[in-house]
Amino acid sequence: MISIGVAKSFFTNMSILITCAYLFNLTYKYLFAHASAWVRQSFTVFIFILSGWLAMMFGFRMNETAIFDMRSVPLIFGTLVFRDPRVLLIIGTGIALSRLTVNGVHASAITGAVNIALVGIAAACLVVWLRDKNWSFRNRAIVAIVALNTLHMLIISLNGTLPARVYLTEVAVITYPLGMLLSTLFIFIIRDFFQEQKRSDDMRKMNEILRRQTRQLREAKRELEDKAKQLALNSKYKSEFMFNMSHELKTPLNSIILLSQMIRETEDYGADNMQYAGLIETSSNELLQLINDILDISSIEAGKMEIVAVTVPVEEHADLLYAQFHPAAAKKGLAFTVHIDAAVPPIILSDGLRLNQILRNLLDNAFKFTDQGAVALAISVDSIVPAADQARLKAARTGTPRYMRGPLKGQRNNAGQDGIGEELFRRAAWAKGKHNHTGGIRDKAPARQQEWIVFTVLDTGIGIDPDKQSIIFETFHQGDGSINRQYGGTGLGLSISLQLARLLGGSLTLDSIPGKGSMFQLRIPALGLETGTYEENEELRAVAARMAD
C-alpha cells in the first residue's frame, strides 16, 4: 500500500511540476519577454518556490505530520540553471518556509523545513563547485540528481520523524529510485522549455540589435544624402565661380598679350626690351591656355558647355592638324603622319570646334612625351554592318587610303627612319585594337548599322605604366608626378578631352606600353546623335558634292 501511494503521489508531483514548467514557459514568453533581467529572475525564483510548495501539497502523507514528495526537484533543476549560489539559497529558504504552511507548524513541519533548507545549502555549494567545470549538461545533471537526492535521503533518515530503519526499509527503497527516475525525466523535459526560452531571448536581442542598426543605417543614409546634396551644391557653386572668374581673368590677360605684341612690333624699343616683350607674350599665352582649360572644365561641370552639331569636312580638319603640328615634328626630328581610311565619309556631323580641341590635346601630348620615333593620326570607320557590306569595308581598310600626309613607305623622315608612320598604323589595326582603359561609353549599335568614326593618335614615346592608366583621365592627374616637372603641364588636357568626347556621344580609350608608346582612340558617331550611314544621308552627300566642285 505504501509503495502504491508513494508512486501515485510522485507521479502526481511530476505532473504538477511539468504543468508549472509549461505555464511558466508561456508566461515568461508572453508577459515577461520584454521585462528587465531582475524582474525575470525574480519571477523564475517565485515559480521554483511555488513548484516546491505544490509538490508538498500533493505529496504522499505517511501520517498526519509526515509528507514525502518531490520538493527537492526545483533545487536540482535550479543547480543546472543558475550560476549564482545566492539564488539557490533563496529558493531553498522559500520552499522551507512554505513547508510550514502545508499542515500547520509542528515538529515534523519544522524538521521538513530544516531538511529542505539543508538541501538548498548543498545545492548552492554544488553550483559553486560546478561553475568552474567545463562539463556537458548531461554530466552536470547526473551529478546534481545523484548528489542532491542522496543527500536528501540521508538527511531525512538522520533527523526525520520516522525511525531510520523504518524509513530506509519501507519508504526510501521506493522514494529514492523513483525520485531519481522522475527527477531525470523532469529535468530533461524542462530543459527543452528553457532552451526555447533562451532561443527566444537570443532572437529578441538579435531583432533589437537589427532594429537599432537599421535605424542607424537609415539615419546615416539621410546624413549621406544631405552631405551629397551639399557637396553637389558646393561643386556647382565652385564651378560657377571658376567659370565666372576665368572670364574675368581673360580680359586683362588679353590686354597684356595685345600690349606685348604691340611692343614687339614697335622699332623704338631695344633688343632686350623686344626679348622681354616676347617672354611676356609667351608666358601670357601659356597662362591664357591654362585659363581656357579651367574654363572648359568649369563649363562642363556647370552644365554650360553646349555642343553644336555642324557639317565637318574630314580632310580639311586633317590638313589643319598636320599644318599645326608639322613644325613641332620637324623641330624634334619626329615623323608625323596623317592617314584617312578610304571608308571614312568626306563629311561628318559633329561639333568641329570640340573635335579639333580633343585631337589637338591628344597630339600635343603625343609630341610632348615623344623624343624619338614618330607620331601618327589615323582616321577610320568602325561599324556593325550587314554581311553584304562587310567586304566593302574590309577592302577600304586594307586598300589604298583616300588621304595620306607624311612619310610614305620607302621615304626617309627627319629622324632617318623608313615608313615608321605605316608601322604605327599597322600596330593600331585600324582602330580594332584592345582598350585597356576607357573614358566614355560606347552606345549599342542600332538594329541595322551604326558607324563610328575612330580618330587614333599613336606615338613611340615614354608610354604609361599600367597601374597609372586608370587615373590618367582624372583632373590634375598625370602618369607620374615627376613628369609634371620634366615636361610641364597641369593634367587638364585628357580630362577635358574625356568630357568633350562624352558630350559628343562617344568615348576616349587608351592602350599603352611603358617605353614603347601610347595609342589614344576617340570614337564619335558618324552622324552625331543620328543613326544610319553616310550613304543614306542626302544632306551630307550634297554638302560633300558641293565641296568637291
Side-chain angles (χ1 to χ4, degrees):
M1 294 296 295
I2 293 177
S3 60
I4 296 176
V6 170
K8 288 182 179 180
S9 175
F10 273 43
F11 277 110
T12 302
N13 278 196
M14 181 71 172
S15 301
I16 292 173
L17 292 175
I18 292 176
T19 302
C20 289
Y22 181 72
L23 294 176
F24 165 76
N25 183 60
L26 294 179
T27 306
Y28 187 91
K29 182 187 297 184
Y30 294 107
L31 295 182
F32 295 94
H34 300 285
S36 64
W38 184 85
V39 172
R40 283 182 292 175
Q41 188 170 24
S42 300
F43 175 69
T44 304
V45 170
F46 170 76
I47 292 297
F48 274 58
I49 296 173
L50 178 64
S51 301
W53 180 77
L54 289 174
M56 290 183 290
M57 286 293 295
F58 295 92
F60 175 71
R61 299 179 182 272
M62 188 81 173
N63 50 44
E64 293 182 358
T65 59
I67 302 175
F68 297 97
D69 50 60
M70 297 180 65
R71 72 188 78 171
S72 62
V73 172
L75 286 171
I76 297 174
F77 189 62
T79 306
L80 304 175
V81 174
F82 301 106
R83 292 292 177 267
D84 188 351
R86 293 174 297 180
V87 177
L88 275 300
L89 293 176
I90 294 173
I91 294 174
T93 304
I95 297 176
L97 294 175
S98 66
R99 172 64 182 90
L100 301 177
T101 65
V102 174
N103 58 354
V105 179
H106 46 76
S108 296
I110 296 174
T111 302
V114 172
N115 291 346
I116 198 64
L118 293 174
V119 174
I121 295 173
C125 296
L126 190 60
V127 166
V128 175
W129 183 70
L130 290 175
R131 192 161 50 186
D132 298 330
K133 304 293 183 181
N134 190 19
W135 290 356
S136 64
F137 179 83
R138 183 186 63 181
N139 294 335
R140 295 163 62 89
I142 292 174
V143 171
I145 291 170
V146 173
L148 294 181
N149 274 297
T150 302
L151 178 64
H152 194 203
M153 179 191 68
L154 293 176
I155 292 174
I156 294 176
S157 65
L158 292 176
N159 60 1
T161 56
L162 294 177
R165 184 182 62 81
V166 175
Y167 171 73
L168 292 175
T169 57
E170 297 184 13
V171 179
V173 293
I174 301 173
T175 59
Y176 180 71
L178 190 59
M180 295 273 287
L181 176 62
L182 295 181
S183 297
T184 303
L185 292 176
F186 174 79
I187 286 175
F188 282 94
I189 290 173
I190 301 305
R191 181 193 178 198
D192 292 337
F193 290 163
F194 276 82
Q195 285 182 339
E196 183 180 353
Q197 290 176 6
K198 186 176 182 301
R199 286 193 296 267
S200 298
D201 290 342
D202 293 342
M203 187 174 297
R204 184 177 62 257
K205 292 177 181 178
M206 184 61 66
N207 289 335
E208 291 176 356
I209 293 173
L210 291 176
R211 282 194 295 269
R212 184 167 59 253
Q213 291 178 346
T214 302
R215 275 195 311 271
Q216 293 173 351
L217 288 175
R218 194 176 293 114
E219 293 174 357
K221 181 182 177 182
R222 282 197 296 266
E223 292 178 0
L224 288 176
E225 289 176 351
D226 294 339
K227 290 181 179 179
K229 292 178 181 178
Q230 187 63 37
L231 287 175
L233 189 60
N234 292 339
S235 178
K236 180 181 178 182
Y237 290 156
K238 182 259 304 179
S239 299
E240 291 180 352
F241 172 78
M242 293 178 65
F243 180 80
N244 295 329
M245 286 304 298
S246 297
H247 273 295
E248 296 298 327
L249 290 173
K250 286 179 67 176
T251 301
L253 188 58
N254 286 327
S255 300
I256 294 173
I257 295 174
L258 180 59
L259 290 174
S260 63
Q261 290 175 350
M262 292 175 63
I263 293 174
R264 294 184 63 187
E265 294 171 359
T266 303
E267 298 179 355
D268 297 339
Y269 297 97
D272 291 341
N273 290 332
M274 298 289 287
Q275 183 180 2
Y276 297 153
L279 291 175
I280 292 174
E281 182 181 1
T282 302
S283 301
S284 299
N285 282 322
E286 292 177 356
L287 181 57
L288 179 61
Q289 181 60 45
L290 174 59
I291 292 175
N292 286 332
D293 290 343
I294 296 176
L295 180 60
D296 288 337
I297 287 289
S298 303
S299 299
I300 294 172
E301 291 181 351
K304 296 182 179 181
M305 176 72 72
E306 294 184 359
I307 297 299
V308 180
V310 296
T311 55
V312 179
V314 178
E315 291 186 11
E316 286 187 12
H317 261 63
D319 273 330
L320 178 61
L321 291 170
Y322 186 83
Q324 287 177 340
F325 287 95
H326 183 265
K331 183 178 180 180
K332 298 187 71 172
L334 302 175
F336 178 40
T337 307
V338 179
H339 181 287
I340 299 180
D341 189 2
V344 177
I347 303 294
I348 61 175
L349 186 65
S350 186
D351 190 322
L353 178 63
R354 302 307 173 188
L355 175 60
N356 186 268
Q357 184 177 354
I358 296 172
L359 295 177
R360 279 192 289 105
N361 283 337
L362 297 179
L363 288 170
D364 184 65
N365 282 339
F367 281 105
K368 180 190 299 184
F369 299 117
T370 303
D371 293 328
Q372 61 181 358
V375 175
L377 169 63
I379 306 175
S380 58
V381 177
D382 188 11
S383 308
I384 300 177
V385 298
D389 295 335
Q390 290 180 1
R392 175 183 62 81
L393 279 177
K394 181 178 180 182
R397 289 186 176 126
T398 57
T400 303
R402 190 181 77 245
Y403 176 96
M404 183 78 177
R405 293 290 299 272
L408 298 176
K409 187 174 182 180
Q411 296 179 342
R412 298 182 68 81
N413 56 39
N414 296 332
Q417 297 168 322
D418 290 330
I420 194 167
E422 289 193 356
E423 173 63 19
L424 290 181
F425 299 140
R426 185 181 64 79
R427 283 167 48 191
W430 301 117
K432 284 186 172 294
K434 62 181 180 179
H435 311 303
N436 290 341
H437 297 280
T438 179
I441 301 173
R442 183 175 179 185
D443 297 329
K444 293 183 178 179
R448 184 170 182 271
Q449 177 181 0
Q450 171 67 66
E451 288 189 349
W452 298 84
I453 305 299
V454 184
F455 298 85
T456 306
V457 176
L458 305 102
D459 63 68
T460 57
I462 62 175
I464 304 170
D465 292 332
D467 58 337
K468 301 294 178 58
Q469 294 179 16
S470 60
I471 63 172
I472 199 68
F473 291 101
E474 295 181 11
T475 307
F476 300 110
H477 277 80
Q478 291 187 333
D480 191 346
S482 61
I483 290 178
N484 195 19
R485 295 187 293 271
Q486 181 179 354
Y487 293 94
T490 60
L492 290 174
L494 287 179
S495 178
I496 293 173
S497 300
L498 167 61
Q499 301 295 335
L500 292 177
R502 289 173 174 171
L503 290 177
L504 292 177
S507 63
L508 183 61
T509 60
L510 164 64
D511 184 16
S512 181
I513 301 175
K516 293 188 177 181
S518 303
M519 179 178 71
F520 287 89
Q521 289 188 334
L522 168 66
R523 294 170 178 266
I524 61 172
L527 297 178
L529 300 179
E530 300 178 20
T531 58
T533 65
Y534 169 75
E535 288 76 6
E536 295 172 344
N537 194 293
E538 296 182 0
E539 181 182 355
L540 290 185
R541 286 191 288 108
V543 172
R546 288 197 299 272
M547 293 181 63
D549 294 340

